[in-house]
Amino acid sequence: MTAKEGTREAGNAFDALLEAAVDGIIIIDEVGTVLRFNQAAERIFGYTETEISGGNIKQLMPEPDRGNHDAYLSRYMRTGKRSIIGGGREVTGLKKNGDTFPMFLSVGETTRQKARRYVGIIRDLSDVQASREKVRELEEQLLHADRLVILGELTAGIAHEINQPLTAIAAYADAGKRMINRNPADATSEIDSICERIAEQSRRAAAVVQRLRKLVRSGTVSKGQHDINQIIKNTLLLFEYEVKKSNIELSFYPLETAGELYVDEIHIQQIIVNLIKNSIDAISEAGSPDGRIEIRVMKRPSDVTISVSDNGPGVREEFRKQLFESFFTTKPKGVGLGLSICKTIAGAHGGSLTFAESTQGGSTFTLSLPLELIG
Ligand SMILES: Nc1ncnc2c1ncn2[C@@H]1O[C@H](COP(=O)(O)OP(=O)(O)OP(=O)(O)O)[C@@H](O)[C@H]1O
Ligand SMILES: [Mg+2]
């Protein structure tokens, strides 16, 4: 075989490789001129090799990459300082029809006969992104379903919480009416205080309804600045009756000053609701007459912790490893999703959820939320 034939054969093998590759492969020169554009790249971008050859690679990128690319190439020539060359990352591509899409781009460099060439290998991530979004959507639905289930379980208590102020309002109104009928002149000062009490009770009922509506609503994660003390206080409102009914003493130790965190309020409430519900279940199951639940918020140098601790039976040693796994439950009617959902939410906030034995002899679950999230 002559040298020329050898070169041709290597060239054919190279063409076959480009053709067979599943990933898009683009070869450009040092100023970005497209020299080769394989079939997979044609499929991904919607251009044919003939259309794109001789053109500049930047037409396959949306702004701001498009505008910066020439300068980027010449800076690399001048300084040898690498950004993507020699490695890879997720970037956005631009198709012929104007659509943009996520892709993973890795770039290598070759220098042969003094000509510098860059080889870009492209993997279209549209499907990956679509499935990531699908997973997010499903997680969101799961979170919502979990909230509805737990609210369903708390319905009796919540109805009671709303009914109490309504009954009080009716009683105050009746009393006011009686006073006016008896002696309108004497009643003025008392009517004033009765009206104040009516207003206060209706605000209380409205607060419960508002909490409830928020928790029932579905929707995607929306983080904002919230005071952790307030989030917990609002959550406890939904438990007043349940706790009273089960004869449990619930104590809340908030931070002394407001603890502003950047979180999704509803999701944090959901964690607290799940943890308290688990504690109530544990205490009731054990049938202990003097059930206690303590909720404590603490600030540490790098995080805020919220611990829910009870004096129930605790978690048996052999179960501790599986506690946070989906579908692990020891309850006849349990689904076993509560803690796994809580852990997912904590993770999505850059935090964690852990179990420890409680000093009261039961369980302590501690949610930690990093302080960098503040502000
Ligand atoms: N405070 C607690 N004290 C004792 N055991 C607990 C406590 N919290 C959770 N557990 C144990 O962890 C298991 C899993 O809890 P998880 O909340 O994930 O599911 P579940 O409460 O069983 O069901 P659900 O999906 O309805 O919440 C419980 O079944 C229970 O055995
Ligand atoms: Mg549970």
Side-chain angles (χ1 to χ4, degrees):
M1 190 168 37
T2 66
K4 207 166 173 185
E5 278 167 349
T7 315
R8 195 181 311 131
E9 189 157 309
N12 287 343
F14 180 62
D15 283 344
L17 184 132
L18 282 187
E19 211 172 286
V22 177
D23 290 335
I25 300 178
I26 305 175
I27 303 177
I28 60 171
D29 67 11
E30 59 203 18
V31 291
T33 317
V34 177
L35 305 174
R36 295 302 303 266
F37 196 76
N38 78 341
Q39 286 176 342
E42 288 183 331
R43 266 197 312 277
I44 294 172
F45 288 97
Y47 287 101
T48 63
E49 181 169 27
T50 330
E51 274 176 310
I52 204 94
S53 284
N56 195 288
I57 186 77
K58 63 189 176 191
Q59 62 191 298
L60 303 176
M61 309 164 189
E63 293 295 354
D65 291 344
R66 179 190 288 238
N68 295 335
H69 198 252
D70 286 345
Y72 170 62
L73 279 180
S74 57
R75 192 186 66 217
Y76 176 62
M77 292 280 285
R78 244 185 6 258
T79 64
K81 221 172 120 205
R82 291 171 159 196
S83 164
I84 196 170
I85 295 167
R89 66 162 174 263
E90 210 174 310
V91 296
T92 306
L94 179 65
K95 297 187 191 218
K96 185 181 177 183
N97 67 7
D99 288 350
T100 55
F101 66 100
M103 61 186 221
F104 191 87
L105 171 67
S106 44
V107 183
E109 180 185 5
T110 71
T111 325
R112 279 204 166 177
Q113 290 148 6
K114 298 216 173 102
R116 200 192 282 255
R117 300 279 184 264
Y118 302 113
V119 183
I121 298 183
I122 286 143
R123 178 157 294 178
D124 186 346
L125 297 179
S126 306
D127 287 349
V128 177
Q129 196 180 48
S131 54
R132 267 189 223 146
E133 266 157 31
K134 188 77 207 159
V135 168
R136 253 202 303 276
E137 212 175 277
L138 287 172
E139 274 178 353
E140 197 58 51
Q141 283 173 11
L142 185 61
L143 291 184
H144 185 224
D146 178 66
R147 285 205 294 277
L148 292 185
V149 167
I150 210 151
L151 285 172
E153 290 173 22
L154 295 176
T155 307
I158 294 163
H160 180 87
E161 273 323 299
I162 298 171
N163 202 33
Q164 248 183 357
L166 291 180
T167 312
I169 289 170
Y172 287 134
D174 282 345
K177 216 167 103 193
R178 264 195 317 263
M179 277 177 201
I180 293 173
N181 287 344
R182 233 176 15 228
N183 190 349
D186 287 353
T188 16
S189 72
E190 277 162 280
I191 291 292
D192 193 55
S193 105
I194 283 178
C195 286
E196 187 41 54
R197 269 180 268 174
I198 287 178
E200 190 190 307
Q201 292 294 326
S202 41
R203 277 194 291 270
R204 188 167 157 221
V208 178
V209 172
Q210 202 197 359
R211 281 299 105 206
L212 196 58
R213 277 181 49 197
K214 267 198 175 171
L215 273 176
V216 167
R217 213 172 46 199
S218 67
T220 44
V221 183
S222 66
K223 290 184 183 165
Q225 191 132 332
H226 299 282
D227 173 15
I228 188 68
N229 287 340
Q230 197 56 47
I231 292 184
I232 299 174
K233 232 179 268 168
N234 289 337
T235 314
L236 295 183
L237 213 56
L238 299 174
F239 276 101
E240 277 178 23
Y241 176 75
E242 183 90 6
V243 162
K244 241 180 278 165
K245 191 185 72 179
S246 349
N247 228 346
I248 291 171
E249 190 189 315
L250 191 146
S251 336
F252 174 39
Y253 304 94
L255 285 177
E256 276 171 20
T257 54
E260 293 291 332
L261 289 178
Y262 190 70
V263 293
D264 182 299
E265 183 193 9
I266 300 300
H267 284 173
I268 300 303
Q269 283 196 28
Q270 186 165 2
I271 296 185
I272 318 265
V273 164
N274 278 323
L275 294 180
I276 298 178
K277 188 76 177 62
N278 277 347
S279 286
I280 295 177
D281 287 349
I283 292 170
S284 315
E285 191 200 351
S288 51
D290 59 343
R292 274 197 316 276
I293 301 176
E294 282 179 12
I295 299 156
R296 202 176 288 274
V297 190
M298 285 197 283
K299 206 181 237 178
R300 299 193 299 197
S302 61
D303 65 353
V304 164
T305 60
I306 300 112
S307 61
V308 176
S309 135
D310 62 60
N311 64 345
V315 177
R316 294 212 331 241
E317 187 75 42
E318 69 257 42
F319 292 152
R320 291 186 189 170
K321 273 211 178 81
Q322 307 164 62
L323 263 187
F324 296 98
E325 281 172 16
S326 303
F327 306 115
F328 171 75
T329 181
T330 55
K331 302 172 193 171
K333 284 191 185 156
V335 185
L337 279 180
L339 287 177
S340 108
I341 284 175
C342 293
K343 192 148 193 150
T344 306
I345 301 176
H349 281 83
S352 64
L353 180 67
T354 50
F355 165 83
E357 245 164 300
S358 149
T359 48
Q360 312 185 64
S363 315
T364 298
F365 286 86
T366 304
L367 167 68
S368 146
L369 295 168
L371 265 177
E372 301 101 80
L373 298 176
I374 290 180

